[in-house]
Amino acid sequence: MAKQICAFFFCFWWFLFCLGHIANADDPVTIFIFGDSTADVGTNNLLQSSFSTRADFAPNGIDFPYSVPTGRFSNGLNTADQIARLFGYQRSPPPFLYILNRTSTFKRDILQGVNFASGGSGILKETGKSNSTEVVPLGDQIQQFATVRGNFTELIGPNATDKFLAKSLFIISVGSNDLFDHVELPSNSSTSVDPEDEFFYMANLQFTYRKHLEGLYKLGARKFGIISVAPIGCCPHARVSNTSGVCREELNKLAQSFFISLKDLLGKMSSKLKGMKYSLGNAYEMTMSIIEDPLAFGFKDVQSACCGNGPLNGVIPCMHFLNPNLCANRREYLFWDLFHPTEYASQLAALTLYGAGTRFVTPMNFSQLAANPV
């Protein structure tokens, strides 16, 4: 009998704790993060067959506390971390798979938000899965979130869960791998994209993305912070596939097309789905403004990777056992490795998403989205 009484009071205390946490207006907004390697903070470390899409080895993380390679494709913090910091956190919430393994604290941990992002993944289920590489596609990430929602419902009931999630921020950074998979990057060549093929591929991307966003909406998401695709044709690996070393225009055009279709999609969805709010970050415009005037932002090199090997350090990945070159001043570089930005570049991106005007973030920025009443 005594054990039953203790168990009752523990459950009652836990319920009040959770309710108090959710009701506290002084707490930072809860953040749920989805996407690819631009937001992955260690998900792929926990997958069995993900070696080519992992970053838990040096020199990655060289500027992270104690120079720990955590699985972030960065010399330090990535964009997900930088956004979370602006909302009052030390860094991004931990990966879902990491929290899931901590069964004793799982329900407490999810109250602080969760990161589901997986390096190499995309909107389409098949993206990033060549050569038996294991990633967590966006659709599967949303299924993982369904597990989180289920636990919220058990803790505080469906009505309180709906209110809690409606105030939370859902950040999604995905799409670049879908475009890379559509356009191969053979050495020293330029690939022309068939217009008809491109039309159907982009239409399929938009249709699939819509289904994913609708899935999140049905699970309780109302505030969507969406980051579009950067000019991926200008990353070091894409540049070195061009004889002249200039940006790959066919990739950049796909990135621009992706933004236009995504902007149209979000506008239509928000007009039909009650309570849906969104902020769309134009990563293409943000990055091109730096590439076109690097000194204004404190960069000296916007073409080469800080870490890598080969021309522009853009051929051989940033892996310690491959003996990569490593730049001395990471702050002067836009790119950390073959594809990803440096910590400083990620910080600039987060600041822009958080507080910039409609040139870069539309129809409102991330801070306005978070403050927008439900």
Side-chain angles (χ1 to χ4, degrees):
M1 183 68 178
K3 289 183 178 180
Q4 291 176 326
I5 293 173
C6 289
F8 170 79
F9 278 109
F10 173 78
C11 292
F12 184 67
W13 170 85
W14 181 247
F15 173 80
L16 291 177
F17 168 80
C18 295
L19 204 60
H21 174 87
I22 291 170
N24 190 346
D26 295 329
D27 286 336
V29 61
T30 302
I31 300 175
F32 299 100
I33 300 172
F34 304 79
D36 54 30
S37 56
T38 56
D40 188 345
V41 295
T43 292
N44 285 14
N45 301 354
L46 303 168
L47 302 178
Q48 290 185 348
S49 304
S50 62
F51 179 75
S52 63
T53 56
R54 286 168 58 168
D56 56 335
F57 39 76
N60 292 297
I62 189 171
D63 297 314
F64 198 82
Y66 307 105
S67 297
V68 176
T70 59
R72 293 163 170 83
F73 290 83
S74 173
N75 55 301
L77 300 178
N78 65 16
T79 304
D81 293 307
Q82 303 284 9
I83 293 172
R85 284 169 63 89
L86 292 171
F87 282 106
Y89 295 95
Q90 185 177 6
R91 57 181 71 101
S92 165
F96 169 78
L97 295 179
Y98 173 78
I99 299 174
L100 190 65
N101 288 335
R102 292 159 53 94
T103 54
S104 62
T105 60
F106 178 78
K107 292 183 179 180
R108 183 186 68 193
D109 292 342
I110 60 176
L111 293 170
Q112 304 295 323
V114 185
N115 187 314
F116 302 88
S118 171
S121 69
I123 297 165
L124 303 179
K125 192 172 185 66
E126 60 270 21
T127 294
K129 290 190 174 182
S130 60
N131 301 320
S132 300
T133 299
E134 186 179 5
V135 300
V136 185
L138 182 58
D140 291 356
Q141 294 175 33
I142 294 170
Q143 289 303 309
Q144 292 175 344
F145 173 72
T147 300
V148 171
R149 186 203 155 85
N151 278 270
F152 279 135
T153 304
E154 289 180 12
L155 284 170
I156 60 176
N159 292 335
T161 295
D162 287 339
K163 292 179 181 179
F164 174 60
L165 295 178
K167 296 177 182 179
S168 301
L169 194 58
F170 290 75
I171 297 173
I172 308 175
S173 178
V174 73
S176 60
N177 292 316
D178 298 285
L179 302 186
F180 272 127
D181 276 13
H182 185 56
V183 180
E184 295 183 2
L185 289 178
S187 178
N188 297 323
S189 69
S190 179
T191 304
S192 60
V193 180
D194 179 77
E196 184 176 355
D197 183 44
E198 177 185 331
F199 173 81
F200 285 110
Y201 187 79
M202 298 302 287
N204 185 38
L205 268 188
Q206 184 184 50
F207 174 80
T208 308
Y209 207 168
R210 182 187 187 110
K211 290 296 181 184
H212 291 327
L213 295 176
E214 288 174 344
L216 276 174
Y217 179 88
K218 290 176 182 177
L219 290 169
R222 293 296 180 269
K223 296 183 177 183
F224 295 83
I226 309 292
I227 306 171
S228 188
V229 175
I232 55 176
C234 294
C235 71
H237 189 61
R239 282 182 182 270
V240 298
S241 67
N242 248 355
T243 306
S244 57
V246 299
C247 298
R248 293 289 296 266
E249 286 306 314
E250 69 275 25
L251 279 168
N252 282 354
K253 287 178 180 177
L254 282 176
Q256 289 174 299
S257 177
F258 181 83
F259 173 78
I260 293 170
S261 65
L262 185 54
K263 184 178 180 181
D264 178 66
L265 170 64
L266 292 170
K268 290 178 179 177
M269 289 185 66
S270 63
S271 66
K272 293 181 179 179
L273 299 178
K274 183 180 178 181
M276 177 182 174
K277 313 279 186 184
Y278 74 91
S279 173
L280 174 59
N282 190 343
Y284 188 93
E285 184 71 16
M286 290 160 52
T287 308
M288 287 306 297
S289 66
I290 293 174
I291 291 174
E292 291 169 354
D293 190 9
L295 293 179
F297 298 90
F299 292 102
K300 291 185 179 180
D301 193 326
V302 294
Q303 297 185 10
S304 306
C306 169
C307 181
N309 218 322
L312 301 180
N313 284 340
V315 178
I316 298 175
C318 180
M319 298 177 175
H320 65 92
F321 48 84
L322 296 177
N323 194 30
N325 297 317
L326 181 64
C327 67
N329 190 344
R330 269 79 70 181
R331 196 186 179 284
E332 296 177 349
Y333 281 71
L334 174 60
F335 293 100
W336 162 243
D337 60 15
L338 276 60
F339 301 102
H340 304 95
T342 56
E343 179 181 61
Y344 175 59
S346 294
Q347 181 183 20
L348 291 182
L351 287 167
T352 304
L353 292 165
Y354 184 82
T358 54
R359 177 188 172 190
F360 298 116
V361 203
T362 185
M364 65 187 88
N365 58 46
F366 282 20
S367 64
Q368 293 167 334
L369 177 66
N372 207 287
V374 178

Short mmCIF file of all heavy atoms in Angstrom, two decimals, residues 14 17-18 21 99 102 104-113 155:
data_model
loop_
_atom_site.label_atom_id
_atom_site.label_comp_id
_atom_site.label_asym_id
_atom_site.label_seq_id
_atom_site.Cartn_x
_atom_site.Cartn_y
_atom_site.Cartn_z
N TRP A 14 5.09 14.69 -10.85
CA TRP A 14 5.62 14.78 -12.22
C TRP A 14 4.66 15.51 -13.14
O TRP A 14 5.05 16.32 -13.97
CB TRP A 14 5.91 13.38 -12.75
CG TRP A 14 6.48 13.35 -14.13
CD1 TRP A 14 5.90 12.87 -15.26
CD2 TRP A 14 7.75 13.83 -14.53
NE1 TRP A 14 6.72 13.03 -16.34
CE2 TRP A 14 7.88 13.61 -15.93
CE3 TRP A 14 8.83 14.42 -13.86
CZ2 TRP A 14 9.00 13.97 -16.64
CZ3 TRP A 14 9.95 14.78 -14.58
CH2 TRP A 14 10.03 14.56 -15.94
N PHE A 17 4.93 19.19 -12.35
CA PHE A 17 6.19 19.70 -12.87
C PHE A 17 6.09 20.00 -14.35
O PHE A 17 6.48 21.07 -14.83
CB PHE A 17 7.32 18.70 -12.61
CG PHE A 17 8.59 19.02 -13.35
CD1 PHE A 17 9.47 19.98 -12.87
CD2 PHE A 17 8.91 18.37 -14.54
CE1 PHE A 17 10.64 20.27 -13.55
CE2 PHE A 17 10.07 18.67 -15.23
CZ PHE A 17 10.94 19.62 -14.72
N CYS A 18 5.54 19.04 -15.09
CA CYS A 18 5.41 19.21 -16.54
C CYS A 18 4.46 20.35 -16.87
O CYS A 18 4.74 21.18 -17.73
CB CYS A 18 4.88 17.92 -17.20
SG CYS A 18 6.02 16.54 -17.05
N HIS A 21 6.15 23.65 -16.13
CA HIS A 21 7.15 23.99 -17.15
C HIS A 21 6.48 24.54 -18.39
O HIS A 21 6.92 25.54 -18.97
CB HIS A 21 7.96 22.75 -17.50
CG HIS A 21 8.91 22.98 -18.64
ND1 HIS A 21 10.19 23.46 -18.44
CD2 HIS A 21 8.77 22.82 -19.98
CE1 HIS A 21 10.79 23.57 -19.60
NE2 HIS A 21 9.94 23.18 -20.56
N ILE A 99 18.23 10.94 -26.94
CA ILE A 99 17.26 11.04 -25.85
C ILE A 99 16.53 9.71 -25.66
O ILE A 99 16.26 9.28 -24.54
CB ILE A 99 16.24 12.17 -26.14
CG1 ILE A 99 16.95 13.51 -26.26
CG2 ILE A 99 15.19 12.24 -25.04
CD1 ILE A 99 16.04 14.65 -26.68
N ARG A 102 18.06 7.27 -23.44
CA ARG A 102 18.06 7.64 -22.01
C ARG A 102 16.63 7.49 -21.47
O ARG A 102 15.94 8.47 -21.21
CB ARG A 102 18.55 9.07 -21.84
CG ARG A 102 20.02 9.25 -22.19
CD ARG A 102 20.35 10.71 -22.51
NE ARG A 102 19.94 11.63 -21.49
CZ ARG A 102 20.71 12.07 -20.50
NH1 ARG A 102 21.97 11.65 -20.41
NH2 ARG A 102 20.25 12.93 -19.62
N SER A 104 15.24 6.66 -18.76
CA SER A 104 14.85 7.16 -17.44
C SER A 104 14.54 8.65 -17.45
O SER A 104 13.80 9.14 -16.58
CB SER A 104 15.96 6.87 -16.42
OG SER A 104 17.16 7.54 -16.77
N THR A 105 15.11 9.39 -18.40
CA THR A 105 14.89 10.84 -18.44
C THR A 105 14.22 11.29 -19.74
O THR A 105 14.10 12.49 -19.98
CB THR A 105 16.23 11.59 -18.29
OG1 THR A 105 17.11 11.21 -19.37
CG2 THR A 105 16.89 11.26 -16.96
N PHE A 106 13.76 10.36 -20.56
CA PHE A 106 13.22 10.69 -21.88
C PHE A 106 12.08 11.72 -21.79
O PHE A 106 12.10 12.75 -22.49
CB PHE A 106 12.71 9.42 -22.57
CG PHE A 106 12.08 9.67 -23.93
CD1 PHE A 106 12.87 9.89 -25.04
CD2 PHE A 106 10.69 9.69 -24.07
CE1 PHE A 106 12.30 10.14 -26.29
CE2 PHE A 106 10.12 9.92 -25.31
CZ PHE A 106 10.92 10.14 -26.43
N LYS A 107 11.11 11.48 -20.92
CA LYS A 107 9.95 12.36 -20.86
C LYS A 107 10.32 13.74 -20.32
O LYS A 107 9.68 14.74 -20.67
CB LYS A 107 8.85 11.71 -20.01
CG LYS A 107 8.24 10.49 -20.68
CD LYS A 107 7.11 9.89 -19.89
CE LYS A 107 6.51 8.70 -20.62
NZ LYS A 107 5.39 8.08 -19.89
N ARG A 108 11.32 13.81 -19.49
CA ARG A 108 11.78 15.12 -19.00
C ARG A 108 12.55 15.85 -20.09
O ARG A 108 12.38 17.06 -20.29
CB ARG A 108 12.66 14.93 -17.77
CG ARG A 108 13.13 16.25 -17.14
CD ARG A 108 14.11 15.97 -16.01
NE ARG A 108 15.37 15.44 -16.53
CZ ARG A 108 16.32 14.87 -15.78
NH1 ARG A 108 16.11 14.70 -14.48
NH2 ARG A 108 17.42 14.43 -16.32
N ASP A 109 13.39 15.12 -20.81
CA ASP A 109 14.25 15.74 -21.82
C ASP A 109 13.46 16.36 -22.97
O ASP A 109 13.83 17.42 -23.48
CB ASP A 109 15.24 14.71 -22.38
CG ASP A 109 16.27 14.26 -21.36
OD1 ASP A 109 16.45 14.97 -20.35
OD2 ASP A 109 16.88 13.20 -21.57
N ILE A 110 12.38 15.70 -23.38
CA ILE A 110 11.65 16.19 -24.56
C ILE A 110 10.96 17.52 -24.29
O ILE A 110 10.61 18.24 -25.23
CB ILE A 110 10.62 15.16 -25.07
CG1 ILE A 110 9.59 14.84 -24.00
CG2 ILE A 110 11.32 13.91 -25.57
CD1 ILE A 110 8.49 13.89 -24.48
N LEU A 111 10.79 17.88 -23.01
CA LEU A 111 10.18 19.17 -22.69
C LEU A 111 11.06 20.34 -23.14
O LEU A 111 10.58 21.45 -23.32
CB LEU A 111 9.93 19.27 -21.18
CG LEU A 111 8.86 18.33 -20.61
CD1 LEU A 111 8.89 18.38 -19.09
CD2 LEU A 111 7.48 18.71 -21.13
N GLN A 112 12.35 20.08 -23.31
CA GLN A 112 13.29 21.12 -23.73
C GLN A 112 13.46 21.18 -25.24
O GLN A 112 14.27 21.95 -25.75
CB GLN A 112 14.67 20.87 -23.08
CG GLN A 112 14.63 20.77 -21.56
CD GLN A 112 14.22 22.07 -20.90
OE1 GLN A 112 14.57 23.15 -21.36
NE2 GLN A 112 13.45 21.98 -19.82
N GLY A 113 12.71 20.36 -25.98
CA GLY A 113 12.84 20.32 -27.43
C GLY A 113 13.68 19.13 -27.88
O GLY A 113 14.36 18.49 -27.08
N LEU A 155 1.61 12.54 -20.63
CA LEU A 155 1.99 13.33 -19.47
C LEU A 155 0.93 14.34 -19.07
O LEU A 155 0.59 14.48 -17.89
CB LEU A 155 3.31 14.07 -19.75
CG LEU A 155 4.59 13.27 -19.71
CD1 LEU A 155 5.74 14.09 -20.26
CD2 LEU A 155 4.89 12.83 -18.29
#
